Amino acid sequence: MTAPSRPRANARQEFLPFAPPLIGEEEINEVVATLRSGWITTGPKTKRFETNLAAYLGASGALALNSCTAALHTALVTLGVGPGDEVITTPLTFAASVNVIEHVGARPVLVDVEADTLNIDPAMVERAITPRTKAIIPVHFAGHPVDLDPLYDAAQRRGLAVLEDAAHALAARYKGRLIGSGENPVAFSFYATKNLTTGEGGMLTGNPEFLERARLISLHGMSRDAWKRYDKGGKWYYEVLYPGFKYNMTDIQAALGLWQLKKLPGFEERRRAVVALYDQAFAQEDALETPVERPEVEHAWHLYVLRLRLEALRIDRDQFIEELTNRNIGTSVHFIPIHLHPYYRDKYAFTPESYPIAFSNYRRMISLPLNVRLSDADVADVIEAVRDVVSEFRR
Ligand SMILES: *Cc1c(COP(=O)(O)O)cnc(C)c1O
């Protein structure tokens, strides 16, 4: 343990938070109007948000839910994944991507990542498929699309479902196509830190027949939802066809989402501009490795994950973060690999070296602030702080 150093004289005065949301007057007014409207839970605004998001993506349908975790869980149940099944996913993700596999009683099978994108490695996925494999959950890490073609190819040959965790990947494109525009199930997150937020919220896209079953499973397994029953001309009768969940989005959340979606193209433009400034500042610094964007994709830039070249520095990642905190820069780490968390480590007897690429990159990664509230001066402060730490602790 080293004693925390004192705040620096040359540091910015105010702490720069890592990922605050940008909520405008439009969102606030829409929420207030919803509260006054007499209908505050799933209703007309949720329906409109689904329609608008599907239209934006070019998807044939969308199901609004109260989180991406709910979307992933609902999708696995809808796909019929359960006890005895294996589901392949990445160790370098948020716990929710793997927790949902446990929720349905299946076994998560982790496959290590590619060294450049930090996305699940399709070649290693192929080798991890067994007769018990039922589905694959690729996660578009940081907003960089997974190499989907070989993955879907393998899935198709072996009769497996693919459920994309696109919590980071709204607005991302793979070979020109928006993530979530196809027939396969894709789950989005509108959590407070994500590129589009409804406070809490999520969306499932996919083909209409899949979404119809998912809709029923996501809301008590009821044959008809409340909005349709309580609306004028609605009937009181319904039937429970499955012991479903309570995962619906509210119109208060959708009120936020409707405006956030309109602003999304501008949000993405700003994110790309910030990324360009970071790249320009750090590309020539040999102690730092900037994130990649492969030529066949458009990155959604949810995260800017800077990797340290530890051999060029006298401090480790944790100390680097502490130095940035002392300079009033908020950062984070995405992610603590799944196989290091006690539940998974102990249940599946993982060691750090079970997934060496995820682990070695975890030890040197820092997520810098990347959000639409950052001013150019804020970005300059981040750049100056990072450069200052590098020059002070260069080996
Ligand atoms: C945020 C996140 C989730 C969970 O999203 P919620 O909407 O909070 O449930 C799932 N997967 C990844 C990769 C995430 O970053």
Side-chain angles (χ1 to χ4, degrees), residues 67-69 72 93-94 96-97 139 165 167-168 189 191 194 201 335:
S67 72
C68 178
T69 308
L72 291 166
T93 186
F94 182 59
S97 322
V139 179
D165 180 338
H168 301 177
S189 174
Y191 178 64
K194 300 284 159 64
F335 293 92

Side-chain angles (χ1 to χ4, degrees), residues 214-269:
R215 190 178 296 277
L216 183 140
I217 286 164
S218 72
L219 193 67
H220 307 298
M222 282 161 61
S223 57
R224 207 181 295 153
D225 64 36
W227 183 40
K228 292 191 189 116
R229 284 184 291 116
Y230 292 132
D231 204 24
K232 187 161 174 250
K235 298 235 173 26
W236 59 269
Y237 188 75
Y238 62 87
E239 289 175 313
V240 170
L241 306 174
Y242 178 86
F245 311 114
K246 181 64 164 86
Y247 282 165
N248 54 309
M249 176 177 279
T250 71
D251 269 23
I252 303 170
Q253 293 167 303
L256 290 165
L258 284 167
W259 283 100
Q260 290 268 300
L261 182 58
K262 285 189 206 195
K263 296 174 180 183
L264 184 66
F267 285 176
E268 287 300 311
E269 195 179 309

Side-chain angles (χ1 to χ4, degrees), residues 82-155:
D85 295 333
E86 294 176 355
V87 179
I88 296 173
T89 192
T90 169
L92 206 58
T93 186
F94 182 59
S97 322
V98 190
N99 288 348
V100 293
I101 301 169
E102 297 276 327
H103 291 166
V104 298
R107 179 186 175 96
V109 173
L110 304 181
V111 164
D112 212 347
V113 296
E114 302 168 321
D116 61 341
T117 62
L118 302 178
N119 276 326
I120 195 165
D121 187 326
M124 283 196 260
V125 167
E126 186 100 41
R127 295 197 288 276
I129 295 171
T130 76
R132 289 174 177 266
T133 308
K134 189 82 182 255
I136 307 169
I137 304 182
V139 179
H140 304 294
F141 177 80
H144 188 299
V146 167
D147 193 7
L148 291 173
D149 278 354
L151 210 61
Y152 274 99
D153 185 54

Side-chain angles (χ1 to χ4, degrees), residues 26-46 48 250-259:
E26 299 90 343
E27 285 92 323
I28 292 167
N29 292 337
E30 192 79 42
V31 167
V32 171
T34 308
L35 294 174
R36 294 190 201 284
S37 73
W39 194 270
I40 57 175
T41 184
T42 313
K45 287 186 183 174
T46 305
R48 211 161 83 223
T250 71
D251 269 23
I252 303 170
Q253 293 167 303
L256 290 165
L258 284 167
W259 283 100

